[in-house]
Amino acid sequence: MNEDWEGEELVDIDDPCLPDALRNHAALFDNPGKVVIVVGDGEYALYAADGEFLDVCVID
């Protein structure tokens, strides 16, 4: 487990509560995004399955 994830609610990228735009963005990385932490309203921290931090996203 990535130490950034301790105490955070992890959401799988395929969870239907996440916007399609976030899934599309996650797929663009060489090491695709698989795990999301919802930071706030429309704000997401995106990680690869191996724990690599990829991006902080704001999706309107």
Side-chain angles (χ1 to χ4, degrees), residues 16-29:
C17 75
L18 297 174
D20 288 335
L22 181 61
R23 276 188 283 285
N24 295 339
H25 179 65
L28 297 176
F29 292 88

Side-chain angles (χ1 to χ4, degrees), residues 37-49:
I37 296 173
V38 179
V39 178
D41 187 32
E43 297 179 40
Y44 308 92
L46 182 60
Y47 292 84

Side-chain angles (χ1 to χ4, degrees), residues 6-26:
E6 291 181 24
E8 298 289 347
E9 181 180 345
L10 305 178
V11 181
D12 186 273
I13 193 68
D14 294 323
D15 189 309
C17 75
L18 297 174
D20 288 335
L22 181 61
R23 276 188 283 285
N24 295 339
H25 179 65

Side-chain angles (χ1 to χ4, degrees), residues 25 29 44-47 52-57:
H25 179 65
F29 292 88
Y44 308 92
L46 182 60
Y47 292 84
E52 176 187 1
F53 173 74
L54 300 173
D55 200 3
V56 172
C57 310

Side-chain angles (χ1 to χ4, degrees), residues 2-3 5 7 14 19-21 23 33 35 37-38 41-42 48 58-60:
N2 187 311
E3 66 185 37
W5 299 352
D14 294 323
D20 288 335
R23 276 188 283 285
V35 179
I37 296 173
V38 179
D41 187 32
V58 177
I59 307 289
D60 292 329

